[in-house]
Amino acid sequence: MTNPSLAIIKKEMHFDGGIEKVTNRLVLAFLNKGVDLSFYTSADASLPCTTFSHRPKGLLKVSRMKDFDQWAQKESRKHPIVFSMDRCSYQTHLRAGNGVHAAYLDLRSQTEGKLKKLSFALNPLHRLQLKLERKTFESPETKVIIVNSEMVKNQIVAYYNTPASKITVVHNGVEWKEFEADFNASLTRSHQDVFQFLFVGHNFKRKGLDILLSALSKLNTKKFHLSVVGHDKEMSSYKKLAHRLKLEKNVTFFGRVNAKPYYLAADALVIPSIYDPFANVTVEALALGLFVITSRMNGGHEVILPHTGAIVETPDEMIAALETAMQNPKEKSRAEAIRNSIQHLDYSHQLEKICDLCLG
């Protein structure tokens, strides 16, 4: 019996991206299944499988996106199973980790000015992304769509002519078992008088950092510290915002660094996303015993339980959730209960589900 031939398409591979982390783990999971695996990308990816890299042509991003899509469509068709991690013109199986771009633009339109909203309709890049998205979700050649939240599944059905029966929800996996030693070590830290909040993510606007800073400025106490881990091209404007809100002594911007030491030092993670199909930081924080405050527009809210976090929709709810968190700093029994709530999301379980959907 010959091994099944499968292609994975992932255009870009950022070293610290959530989807890239899933991609790397999926490669290993498929190889462990004995799959004859080929990987199609635009990056210089170092992977333990046959890799084909194509440098897209064109000066504009939209031109490069079109060029890569045409190349990937042509080259990958030789495989009976084509598993895409991006919006593409052709695939048999899709993991829609980027969510629904049409829904994201609609959400942004609710808060942006008229000129910005007009740009959504006229910008060639948005138009191409929407075109590819429609092809991705509505093509009869796309047999299976894997999403990481019910939120994204509902959005696909709402925006596109895609039967719900084609879509399967597999929540993001996490290094639950791998984090065990670090979690146990974090429980031995000395108690701090200052409550430690943590924000992790790039693209601060989409992740809701301004919403968090505004809520923190309205708390009745200043016995807290917020560590901001991540990069944003508008970093200086967020530092100025913290200063205007008189939070300069309470907030530290650490930039693009390894987030794990900050998880281990924190009491709670706050991620009030404007739109996140499923923020990986949600389950990473839970796996390390942190109380998680997030918005309903983060698909990760679906794994939050009453004792493990808070789901907020309004500024007042955000303030109340921050106050509740501060009354319950990280402590052994509570942290263990939070961590154990997502044991079923260990990568070994979630990757097995995806492999079965592709190979079964």
Side-chain angles (χ1 to χ4, degrees), residues 104-151:
Y104 169 62
L105 291 180
D106 275 355
L107 285 166
R108 283 194 62 189
S109 294
Q110 295 172 19
T111 58
E112 299 285 359
K114 290 183 179 179
L115 286 177
K116 193 69 174 178
K117 285 192 280 188
L118 181 62
S119 76
F120 295 159
L122 300 179
N123 187 316
L125 186 58
H126 287 310
R127 291 167 65 181
L128 177 58
Q129 286 177 305
L130 292 173
K131 181 180 178 181
L132 286 176
E133 186 165 271
R134 185 171 296 279
K135 282 187 177 181
T136 298
F137 292 140
E138 295 188 351
S139 170
E141 294 177 302
T142 305
K143 299 172 184 176
V144 175
I145 299 172
I146 302 165
V147 297
N148 48 15
S149 64
E150 292 286 348
M151 180 187 82

mmCIF file of all heavy atoms in Angstrom, residues 104-151:
data_model
loop_
_atom_site.group_PDB
_atom_site.id
_atom_site.type_symbol
_atom_site.label_atom_id
_atom_site.label_comp_id
_atom_site.label_asym_id
_atom_site.label_seq_id
_atom_site.Cartn_x
_atom_site.Cartn_y
_atom_site.Cartn_z
ATOM 1 N N TYR A 104 -14.590 40.574 9.036
ATOM 2 C CA TYR A 104 -13.627 41.497 9.655
ATOM 3 C C TYR A 104 -13.808 42.913 9.127
ATOM 4 O O TYR A 104 -13.829 43.877 9.897
ATOM 5 C CB TYR A 104 -12.211 40.991 9.389
ATOM 6 C CG TYR A 104 -11.115 41.979 9.737
ATOM 7 C CD1 TYR A 104 -10.945 42.430 11.045
ATOM 8 C CD2 TYR A 104 -10.236 42.446 8.753
ATOM 9 C CE1 TYR A 104 -9.941 43.324 11.362
ATOM 10 C CE2 TYR A 104 -9.224 43.342 9.073
ATOM 11 C CZ TYR A 104 -9.085 43.783 10.374
ATOM 12 O OH TYR A 104 -8.099 44.681 10.687
ATOM 13 N N LEU A 105 -13.964 43.062 7.815
ATOM 14 C CA LEU A 105 -14.151 44.395 7.229
ATOM 15 C C LEU A 105 -15.458 45.027 7.709
ATOM 16 O O LEU A 105 -15.509 46.233 7.971
ATOM 17 C CB LEU A 105 -14.129 44.314 5.704
ATOM 18 C CG LEU A 105 -12.785 43.964 5.057
ATOM 19 C CD1 LEU A 105 -12.916 43.931 3.541
ATOM 20 C CD2 LEU A 105 -11.693 44.950 5.464
ATOM 21 N N ASP A 106 -16.494 44.229 7.828
ATOM 22 C CA ASP A 106 -17.769 44.764 8.329
ATOM 23 C C ASP A 106 -17.630 45.248 9.770
ATOM 24 O O ASP A 106 -18.162 46.303 10.142
ATOM 25 C CB ASP A 106 -18.858 43.698 8.251
ATOM 26 C CG ASP A 106 -19.511 43.640 6.878
ATOM 27 O OD1 ASP A 106 -19.182 44.494 6.030
ATOM 28 O OD2 ASP A 106 -20.346 42.748 6.653
ATOM 29 N N LEU A 107 -16.921 44.508 10.584
ATOM 30 C CA LEU A 107 -16.708 44.905 11.973
ATOM 31 C C LEU A 107 -15.900 46.198 12.048
ATOM 32 O O LEU A 107 -16.219 47.097 12.833
ATOM 33 C CB LEU A 107 -15.998 43.793 12.742
ATOM 34 C CG LEU A 107 -16.853 42.584 13.114
ATOM 35 C CD1 LEU A 107 -15.982 41.423 13.548
ATOM 36 C CD2 LEU A 107 -17.838 42.957 14.223
ATOM 37 N N ARG A 108 -14.859 46.306 11.234
ATOM 38 C CA ARG A 108 -14.050 47.526 11.225
ATOM 39 C C ARG A 108 -14.864 48.720 10.738
ATOM 40 O O ARG A 108 -14.682 49.845 11.210
ATOM 41 C CB ARG A 108 -12.815 47.330 10.349
ATOM 42 C CG ARG A 108 -11.720 46.521 11.013
ATOM 43 C CD ARG A 108 -10.415 46.644 10.265
ATOM 44 N NE ARG A 108 -9.908 48.008 10.229
ATOM 45 C CZ ARG A 108 -8.876 48.394 9.490
ATOM 46 N NH1 ARG A 108 -8.245 47.519 8.732
ATOM 47 N NH2 ARG A 108 -8.463 49.651 9.503
ATOM 48 N N SER A 109 -15.751 48.484 9.782
ATOM 49 C CA SER A 109 -16.568 49.568 9.218
ATOM 50 C C SER A 109 -17.457 50.216 10.271
ATOM 51 O O SER A 109 -17.862 51.374 10.120
ATOM 52 C CB SER A 109 -17.426 49.032 8.068
ATOM 53 O OG SER A 109 -16.620 48.628 6.983
ATOM 54 N N GLN A 110 -17.748 49.483 11.337
ATOM 55 C CA GLN A 110 -18.608 50.009 12.392
ATOM 56 C C GLN A 110 -17.906 51.064 13.248
ATOM 57 O O GLN A 110 -18.554 51.862 13.926
ATOM 58 C CB GLN A 110 -19.101 48.871 13.287
ATOM 59 C CG GLN A 110 -20.001 47.870 12.574
ATOM 60 C CD GLN A 110 -20.315 46.647 13.415
ATOM 61 O OE1 GLN A 110 -20.166 46.663 14.643
ATOM 62 N NE2 GLN A 110 -20.737 45.565 12.772
ATOM 63 N N THR A 111 -16.574 51.081 13.200
ATOM 64 C CA THR A 111 -15.825 52.010 14.059
ATOM 65 C C THR A 111 -14.945 52.978 13.281
ATOM 66 O O THR A 111 -14.433 53.934 13.854
ATOM 67 C CB THR A 111 -14.936 51.226 15.044
ATOM 68 O OG1 THR A 111 -14.049 50.375 14.302
ATOM 69 C CG2 THR A 111 -15.784 50.364 15.976
ATOM 70 N N GLU A 112 -14.768 52.752 11.975
ATOM 71 C CA GLU A 112 -13.886 53.607 11.177
ATOM 72 C C GLU A 112 -14.661 54.761 10.551
ATOM 73 O O GLU A 112 -15.882 54.739 10.444
ATOM 74 C CB GLU A 112 -13.218 52.783 10.072
ATOM 75 C CG GLU A 112 -12.348 51.636 10.571
ATOM 76 C CD GLU A 112 -11.025 52.107 11.148
ATOM 77 O OE1 GLU A 112 -10.769 53.336 11.144
ATOM 78 O OE2 GLU A 112 -10.239 51.252 11.596
ATOM 79 N N GLY A 113 -13.927 55.775 10.091
ATOM 80 C CA GLY A 113 -14.521 56.919 9.416
ATOM 81 C C GLY A 113 -14.937 56.594 7.988
ATOM 82 O O GLY A 113 -14.651 55.515 7.473
ATOM 83 N N LYS A 114 -15.592 57.555 7.331
ATOM 84 C CA LYS A 114 -16.136 57.326 5.990
ATOM 85 C C LYS A 114 -15.052 57.010 4.965
ATOM 86 O O LYS A 114 -15.223 56.130 4.117
ATOM 87 C CB LYS A 114 -16.934 58.555 5.547
ATOM 88 C CG LYS A 114 -18.233 58.751 6.322
ATOM 89 C CD LYS A 114 -19.007 59.948 5.793
ATOM 90 C CE LYS A 114 -20.320 60.132 6.557
ATOM 91 N NZ LYS A 114 -21.083 61.304 6.073
ATOM 92 N N LEU A 115 -13.916 57.737 5.028
ATOM 93 C CA LEU A 115 -12.859 57.506 4.050
ATOM 94 C C LEU A 115 -12.260 56.107 4.192
ATOM 95 O O LEU A 115 -11.970 55.443 3.195
ATOM 96 C CB LEU A 115 -11.760 58.560 4.194
ATOM 97 C CG LEU A 115 -12.104 59.964 3.680
ATOM 98 C CD1 LEU A 115 -10.957 60.923 3.959
ATOM 99 C CD2 LEU A 115 -12.402 59.921 2.174
ATOM 100 N N LYS A 116 -12.082 55.672 5.436
ATOM 101 C CA LYS A 116 -11.525 54.345 5.675
ATOM 102 C C LYS A 116 -12.490 53.282 5.181
ATOM 103 O O LYS A 116 -12.083 52.292 4.546
ATOM 104 C CB LYS A 116 -11.241 54.147 7.170
ATOM 105 C CG LYS A 116 -10.382 52.933 7.481
ATOM 106 C CD LYS A 116 -8.968 53.121 6.997
ATOM 107 C CE LYS A 116 -8.061 51.986 7.433
ATOM 108 N NZ LYS A 116 -6.698 52.131 6.931
ATOM 109 N N LYS A 117 -13.777 53.465 5.445
ATOM 110 C CA LYS A 117 -14.776 52.508 4.985
ATOM 111 C C LYS A 117 -14.801 52.439 3.458
ATOM 112 O O LYS A 117 -14.953 51.366 2.873
ATOM 113 C CB LYS A 117 -16.157 52.882 5.528
ATOM 114 C CG LYS A 117 -16.330 52.554 7.006
ATOM 115 C CD LYS A 117 -17.770 52.668 7.453
ATOM 116 C CE LYS A 117 -18.166 54.097 7.702
ATOM 117 N NZ LYS A 117 -19.504 54.204 8.325
ATOM 118 N N LEU A 118 -14.637 53.606 2.814
ATOM 119 C CA LEU A 118 -14.604 53.639 1.357
ATOM 120 C C LEU A 118 -13.397 52.871 0.825
ATOM 121 O O LEU A 118 -13.475 52.176 -0.194
ATOM 122 C CB LEU A 118 -14.574 55.086 0.863
ATOM 123 C CG LEU A 118 -14.572 55.296 -0.661
ATOM 124 C CD1 LEU A 118 -15.848 54.726 -1.272
ATOM 125 C CD2 LEU A 118 -14.421 56.783 -0.992
ATOM 126 N N SER A 119 -12.282 52.981 1.551
ATOM 127 C CA SER A 119 -11.065 52.286 1.109
ATOM 128 C C SER A 119 -11.237 50.770 1.137
ATOM 129 O O SER A 119 -10.622 50.047 0.350
ATOM 130 C CB SER A 119 -9.874 52.701 1.978
ATOM 131 O OG SER A 119 -9.919 52.077 3.253
ATOM 132 N N PHE A 120 -12.069 50.277 2.055
ATOM 133 C CA PHE A 120 -12.303 48.835 2.117
ATOM 134 C C PHE A 120 -12.914 48.337 0.803
ATOM 135 O O PHE A 120 -12.612 47.231 0.343
ATOM 136 C CB PHE A 120 -13.233 48.481 3.277
ATOM 137 C CG PHE A 120 -12.664 48.759 4.638
ATOM 138 C CD1 PHE A 120 -13.490 48.913 5.746
ATOM 139 C CD2 PHE A 120 -11.294 48.865 4.834
ATOM 140 C CE1 PHE A 120 -12.972 49.163 7.001
ATOM 141 C CE2 PHE A 120 -10.756 49.116 6.094
ATOM 142 C CZ PHE A 120 -11.606 49.270 7.175
ATOM 143 N N ALA A 121 -13.773 49.167 0.230
ATOM 144 C CA ALA A 121 -14.447 48.777 -1.009
ATOM 145 C C ALA A 121 -13.552 48.949 -2.236
ATOM 146 O O ALA A 121 -13.668 48.198 -3.209
ATOM 147 C CB ALA A 121 -15.725 49.591 -1.176
ATOM 148 N N LEU A 122 -12.643 49.928 -2.194
ATOM 149 C CA LEU A 122 -11.840 50.259 -3.365
ATOM 150 C C LEU A 122 -10.447 49.646 -3.368
ATOM 151 O O LEU A 122 -9.847 49.469 -4.430
ATOM 152 C CB LEU A 122 -11.717 51.782 -3.484
ATOM 153 C CG LEU A 122 -13.033 52.559 -3.642
ATOM 154 C CD1 LEU A 122 -12.747 54.060 -3.724
ATOM 155 C CD2 LEU A 122 -13.808 52.089 -4.862
ATOM 156 N N ASN A 123 -9.922 49.327 -2.196
ATOM 157 C CA ASN A 123 -8.556 48.799 -2.094
ATOM 158 C C ASN A 123 -8.427 47.473 -2.853
ATOM 159 O O ASN A 123 -9.132 46.502 -2.555
ATOM 160 C CB ASN A 123 -8.213 48.582 -0.607
ATOM 161 C CG ASN A 123 -6.758 48.208 -0.398
ATOM 162 O OD1 ASN A 123 -6.213 47.392 -1.127
ATOM 163 N ND2 ASN A 123 -6.139 48.803 0.602
ATOM 164 N N PRO A 124 -7.514 47.409 -3.850
ATOM 165 C CA PRO A 124 -7.361 46.177 -4.647
ATOM 166 C C PRO A 124 -6.998 44.954 -3.809
ATOM 167 O O PRO A 124 -7.395 43.834 -4.144
ATOM 168 C CB PRO A 124 -6.234 46.523 -5.619
ATOM 169 C CG PRO A 124 -6.178 48.007 -5.661
ATOM 170 C CD PRO A 124 -6.621 48.481 -4.309
ATOM 171 N N LEU A 125 -6.258 45.172 -2.722
ATOM 172 C CA LEU A 125 -5.850 44.043 -1.885
ATOM 173 C C LEU A 125 -7.062 43.434 -1.180
ATOM 174 O O LEU A 125 -7.226 42.211 -1.156
ATOM 175 C CB LEU A 125 -4.810 44.499 -0.859
ATOM 176 C CG LEU A 125 -4.178 43.395 -0.003
ATOM 177 C CD1 LEU A 125 -3.500 42.343 -0.882
ATOM 178 C CD2 LEU A 125 -3.184 43.985 0.983
ATOM 179 N N HIS A 126 -7.918 44.300 -0.616
ATOM 180 C CA HIS A 126 -9.134 43.787 0.016
ATOM 181 C C HIS A 126 -10.021 43.082 -0.997
ATOM 182 O O HIS A 126 -10.598 42.024 -0.713
ATOM 183 C CB HIS A 126 -9.917 44.930 0.670
ATOM 184 C CG HIS A 126 -9.299 45.451 1.930
ATOM 185 N ND1 HIS A 126 -8.893 44.624 2.959
ATOM 186 C CD2 HIS A 126 -9.020 46.721 2.341
ATOM 187 C CE1 HIS A 126 -8.385 45.356 3.937
ATOM 188 N NE2 HIS A 126 -8.455 46.629 3.587
ATOM 189 N N ARG A 127 -10.120 43.664 -2.193
ATOM 190 C CA ARG A 127 -10.973 43.071 -3.215
ATOM 191 C C ARG A 127 -10.464 41.692 -3.643
ATOM 192 O O ARG A 127 -11.250 40.755 -3.832
ATOM 193 C CB ARG A 127 -11.063 44.011 -4.424
ATOM 194 C CG ARG A 127 -11.842 45.286 -4.117
ATOM 195 C CD ARG A 127 -11.680 46.338 -5.183
ATOM 196 N NE ARG A 127 -12.248 45.939 -6.467
ATOM 197 C CZ ARG A 127 -12.212 46.695 -7.565
ATOM 198 N NH1 ARG A 127 -11.612 47.893 -7.513
ATOM 199 N NH2 ARG A 127 -12.756 46.279 -8.678
ATOM 200 N N LEU A 128 -9.141 41.557 -3.757
ATOM 201 C CA LEU A 128 -8.573 40.254 -4.110
ATOM 202 C C LEU A 128 -8.785 39.241 -2.991
ATOM 203 O O LEU A 128 -9.135 38.079 -3.241
ATOM 204 C CB LEU A 128 -7.085 40.392 -4.421
ATOM 205 C CG LEU A 128 -6.348 39.072 -4.735
ATOM 206 C CD1 LEU A 128 -6.987 38.360 -5.933
ATOM 207 C CD2 LEU A 128 -4.873 39.333 -4.982
ATOM 208 N N GLN A 129 -8.566 39.685 -1.742
ATOM 209 C CA GLN A 129 -8.771 38.776 -0.618
ATOM 210 C C GLN A 129 -10.211 38.276 -0.559
ATOM 211 O O GLN A 129 -10.464 37.094 -0.289
ATOM 212 C CB GLN A 129 -8.399 39.480 0.691
ATOM 213 C CG GLN A 129 -6.896 39.641 0.867
ATOM 214 C CD GLN A 129 -6.548 40.410 2.126
ATOM 215 O OE1 GLN A 129 -7.014 41.531 2.344
ATOM 216 N NE2 GLN A 129 -5.739 39.811 2.975
ATOM 217 N N LEU A 130 -11.161 39.166 -0.829
ATOM 218 C CA LEU A 130 -12.566 38.761 -0.824
ATOM 219 C C LEU A 130 -12.874 37.816 -1.984
ATOM 220 O O LEU A 130 -13.660 36.865 -1.837
ATOM 221 C CB LEU A 130 -13.470 39.996 -0.889
ATOM 222 C CG LEU A 130 -13.450 40.895 0.349
ATOM 223 C CD1 LEU A 130 -14.242 42.171 0.105
ATOM 224 C CD2 LEU A 130 -14.004 40.157 1.568
ATOM 225 N N LYS A 131 -12.259 38.072 -3.134
ATOM 226 C CA LYS A 131 -12.457 37.204 -4.293
ATOM 227 C C LYS A 131 -11.915 35.797 -4.014
ATOM 228 O O LYS A 131 -12.589 34.786 -4.290
ATOM 229 C CB LYS A 131 -11.759 37.808 -5.520
ATOM 230 C CG LYS A 131 -11.930 36.986 -6.794
ATOM 231 C CD LYS A 131 -11.201 37.657 -7.961
ATOM 232 C CE LYS A 131 -11.327 36.822 -9.241
ATOM 233 N NZ LYS A 131 -10.603 37.472 -10.373
ATOM 234 N N LEU A 132 -10.694 35.733 -3.471
ATOM 235 C CA LEU A 132 -10.108 34.436 -3.132
ATOM 236 C C LEU A 132 -10.914 33.745 -2.034
ATOM 237 O O LEU A 132 -11.070 32.517 -2.044
ATOM 238 C CB LEU A 132 -8.660 34.615 -2.679
ATOM 239 C CG LEU A 132 -7.625 34.932 -3.761
ATOM 240 C CD1 LEU A 132 -6.260 35.174 -3.139
ATOM 241 C CD2 LEU A 132 -7.542 33.788 -4.777
ATOM 242 N N GLU A 133 -11.404 34.529 -1.095
ATOM 243 C CA GLU A 133 -12.192 33.971 -0.001
ATOM 244 C C GLU A 133 -13.455 33.300 -0.544
ATOM 245 O O GLU A 133 -13.816 32.197 -0.114
ATOM 246 C CB GLU A 133 -12.551 35.070 0.989
ATOM 247 C CG GLU A 133 -13.242 34.581 2.245
ATOM 248 C CD GLU A 133 -13.245 35.645 3.329
ATOM 249 O OE1 GLU A 133 -12.285 35.697 4.116
ATOM 250 O OE2 GLU A 133 -14.219 36.423 3.388
ATOM 251 N N ARG A 134 -14.126 33.959 -1.489
ATOM 252 C CA ARG A 134 -15.336 33.370 -2.073
ATOM 253 C C ARG A 134 -14.992 32.069 -2.805
ATOM 254 O O ARG A 134 -15.697 31.062 -2.681
ATOM 255 C CB ARG A 134 -16.011 34.359 -3.018
ATOM 256 C CG ARG A 134 -17.345 33.863 -3.585
ATOM 257 C CD ARG A 134 -18.089 34.942 -4.332
ATOM 258 N NE ARG A 134 -18.493 36.043 -3.468
ATOM 259 C CZ ARG A 134 -19.564 36.021 -2.677
ATOM 260 N NH1 ARG A 134 -20.321 34.935 -2.620
ATOM 261 N NH2 ARG A 134 -19.854 37.069 -1.942
ATOM 262 N N LYS A 135 -13.900 32.093 -3.589
ATOM 263 C CA LYS A 135 -13.469 30.875 -4.275
ATOM 264 C C LYS A 135 -13.160 29.762 -3.278
ATOM 265 O O LYS A 135 -13.512 28.600 -3.475
ATOM 266 C CB LYS A 135 -12.224 31.155 -5.125
ATOM 267 C CG LYS A 135 -12.494 31.859 -6.438
ATOM 268 C CD LYS A 135 -11.202 31.934 -7.262
ATOM 269 C CE LYS A 135 -11.438 32.573 -8.615
ATOM 270 N NZ LYS A 135 -10.191 32.627 -9.424
ATOM 271 N N THR A 136 -12.483 30.144 -2.209
ATOM 272 C CA THR A 136 -12.082 29.178 -1.192
ATOM 273 C C THR A 136 -13.286 28.487 -0.573
ATOM 274 O O THR A 136 -13.347 27.264 -0.481
ATOM 275 C CB THR A 136 -11.277 29.885 -0.078
ATOM 276 O OG1 THR A 136 -10.101 30.448 -0.635
ATOM 277 C CG2 THR A 136 -10.879 28.913 1.018
ATOM 278 N N PHE A 137 -14.253 29.280 -0.131
ATOM 279 C CA PHE A 137 -15.377 28.732 0.616
ATOM 280 C C PHE A 137 -16.467 28.127 -0.268
ATOM 281 O O PHE A 137 -17.154 27.189 0.152
ATOM 282 C CB PHE A 137 -15.997 29.816 1.507
ATOM 283 C CG PHE A 137 -15.107 30.264 2.633
ATOM 284 C CD1 PHE A 137 -15.028 31.606 2.988
ATOM 285 C CD2 PHE A 137 -14.359 29.357 3.353
ATOM 286 C CE1 PHE A 137 -14.210 32.030 4.028
ATOM 287 C CE2 PHE A 137 -13.531 29.763 4.393
ATOM 288 C CZ PHE A 137 -13.462 31.108 4.731
ATOM 289 N N GLU A 138 -16.645 28.642 -1.482
ATOM 290 C CA GLU A 138 -17.778 28.206 -2.306
ATOM 291 C C GLU A 138 -17.411 27.174 -3.369
ATOM 292 O O GLU A 138 -18.294 26.576 -3.980
ATOM 293 C CB GLU A 138 -18.431 29.421 -2.968
ATOM 294 C CG GLU A 138 -19.077 30.375 -1.975
ATOM 295 C CD GLU A 138 -19.878 31.477 -2.651
ATOM 296 O OE1 GLU A 138 -19.796 31.616 -3.886
ATOM 297 O OE2 GLU A 138 -20.603 32.204 -1.936
ATOM 298 N N SER A 139 -16.124 26.942 -3.600
ATOM 299 C CA SER A 139 -15.717 25.995 -4.637
ATOM 300 C C SER A 139 -16.174 24.574 -4.301
ATOM 301 O O SER A 139 -15.955 24.087 -3.187
ATOM 302 C CB SER A 139 -14.195 25.998 -4.794
ATOM 303 O OG SER A 139 -13.795 24.934 -5.635
ATOM 304 N N PRO A 140 -16.773 23.872 -5.272
ATOM 305 C CA PRO A 140 -17.145 22.471 -5.041
ATOM 306 C C PRO A 140 -15.919 21.569 -4.864
ATOM 307 O O PRO A 140 -16.036 20.455 -4.348
ATOM 308 C CB PRO A 140 -17.935 22.101 -6.304
ATOM 309 C CG PRO A 140 -17.505 23.084 -7.340
ATOM 310 C CD PRO A 140 -17.185 24.344 -6.601
ATOM 311 N N GLU A 141 -14.744 22.049 -5.290
ATOM 312 C CA GLU A 141 -13.520 21.267 -5.119
ATOM 313 C C GLU A 141 -13.031 21.280 -3.672
ATOM 314 O O GLU A 141 -12.240 20.417 -3.273
ATOM 315 C CB GLU A 141 -12.424 21.799 -6.044
ATOM 316 C CG GLU A 141 -12.745 21.601 -7.524
ATOM 317 C CD GLU A 141 -11.687 22.191 -8.432
ATOM 318 O OE1 GLU A 141 -11.433 23.410 -8.331
ATOM 319 O OE2 GLU A 141 -11.101 21.438 -9.238
ATOM 320 N N THR A 142 -13.481 22.259 -2.907
ATOM 321 C CA THR A 142 -13.138 22.304 -1.482
ATOM 322 C C THR A 142 -14.096 21.378 -0.737
ATOM 323 O O THR A 142 -15.258 21.702 -0.519
ATOM 324 C CB THR A 142 -13.246 23.735 -0.926
ATOM 325 O OG1 THR A 142 -12.441 24.624 -1.711
ATOM 326 C CG2 THR A 142 -12.772 23.790 0.520
ATOM 327 N N LYS A 143 -13.608 20.222 -0.356
ATOM 328 C CA LYS A 143 -14.463 19.186 0.232
ATOM 329 C C LYS A 143 -14.663 19.369 1.739
ATOM 330 O O LYS A 143 -15.735 19.079 2.278
ATOM 331 C CB LYS A 143 -13.853 17.806 -0.035
ATOM 332 C CG LYS A 143 -13.717 17.470 -1.518
ATOM 333 C CD LYS A 143 -12.939 16.181 -1.702
ATOM 334 C CE LYS A 143 -12.715 15.881 -3.182
ATOM 335 N NZ LYS A 143 -11.876 14.663 -3.372
ATOM 336 N N VAL A 144 -13.604 19.812 2.424
ATOM 337 C CA VAL A 144 -13.650 19.927 3.884
ATOM 338 C C VAL A 144 -13.087 21.281 4.298
ATOM 339 O O VAL A 144 -12.005 21.676 3.841
ATOM 340 C CB VAL A 144 -12.839 18.800 4.569
ATOM 341 C CG1 VAL A 144 -12.803 19.006 6.083
ATOM 342 C CG2 VAL A 144 -13.416 17.431 4.228
ATOM 343 N N ILE A 145 -13.813 21.993 5.159
ATOM 344 C CA ILE A 145 -13.343 23.263 5.721
ATOM 345 C C ILE A 145 -13.229 23.089 7.225
ATOM 346 O O ILE A 145 -14.215 22.751 7.896
ATOM 347 C CB ILE A 145 -14.301 24.421 5.385
ATOM 348 C CG1 ILE A 145 -14.391 24.613 3.858
ATOM 349 C CG2 ILE A 145 -13.835 25.712 6.060
ATOM 350 C CD1 ILE A 145 -15.453 25.617 3.431
ATOM 351 N N ILE A 146 -12.032 23.301 7.735
ATOM 352 C CA ILE A 146 -11.784 23.193 9.175
ATOM 353 C C ILE A 146 -11.624 24.595 9.738
ATOM 354 O O ILE A 146 -10.794 25.375 9.255
ATOM 355 C CB ILE A 146 -10.515 22.360 9.457
ATOM 356 C CG1 ILE A 146 -10.650 20.963 8.854
ATOM 357 C CG2 ILE A 146 -10.245 22.263 10.961
ATOM 358 C CD1 ILE A 146 -9.339 20.197 8.772
ATOM 359 N N VAL A 147 -12.411 24.938 10.733
ATOM 360 C CA VAL A 147 -12.324 26.253 11.370
ATOM 361 C C VAL A 147 -11.988 26.064 12.845
ATOM 362 O O VAL A 147 -12.194 24.990 13.410
ATOM 363 C CB VAL A 147 -13.640 27.050 11.216
ATOM 364 C CG1 VAL A 147 -13.926 27.343 9.756
ATOM 365 C CG2 VAL A 147 -14.822 26.305 11.845
ATOM 366 N N ASN A 148 -11.475 27.128 13.460
ATOM 367 C CA ASN A 148 -11.072 26.986 14.865
ATOM 368 C C ASN A 148 -12.078 27.547 15.863
ATOM 369 O O ASN A 148 -11.796 27.620 17.058
ATOM 370 C CB ASN A 148 -9.686 27.599 15.101
ATOM 371 C CG ASN A 148 -9.549 28.979 14.517
ATOM 372 O OD1 ASN A 148 -10.524 29.627 14.167
ATOM 373 N ND2 ASN A 148 -8.310 29.454 14.404
ATOM 374 N N SER A 149 -13.271 27.939 15.385
ATOM 375 C CA SER A 149 -14.310 28.389 16.309
ATOM 376 C C SER A 149 -15.680 28.311 15.654
ATOM 377 O O SER A 149 -15.808 28.390 14.423
ATOM 378 C CB SER A 149 -14.043 29.822 16.783
ATOM 379 O OG SER A 149 -14.111 30.740 15.698
ATOM 380 N N GLU A 150 -16.706 28.159 16.475
ATOM 381 C CA GLU A 150 -18.086 28.205 15.990
ATOM 382 C C GLU A 150 -18.374 29.581 15.397
ATOM 383 O O GLU A 150 -19.165 29.709 14.461
ATOM 384 C CB GLU A 150 -19.057 27.905 17.133
ATOM 385 C CG GLU A 150 -19.019 26.491 17.666
ATOM 386 C CD GLU A 150 -19.666 25.478 16.735
ATOM 387 O OE1 GLU A 150 -20.359 25.900 15.774
ATOM 388 O OE2 GLU A 150 -19.466 24.270 16.956
ATOM 389 N N MET A 151 -17.747 30.609 15.956
ATOM 390 C CA MET A 151 -17.918 31.965 15.454
ATOM 391 C C MET A 151 -17.572 32.039 13.972
ATOM 392 O O MET A 151 -18.336 32.587 13.168
ATOM 393 C CB MET A 151 -17.040 32.937 16.252
ATOM 394 C CG MET A 151 -17.135 34.389 15.817
ATOM 395 S SD MET A 151 -15.922 35.452 16.674
ATOM 396 C CE MET A 151 -14.451 35.153 15.671
#
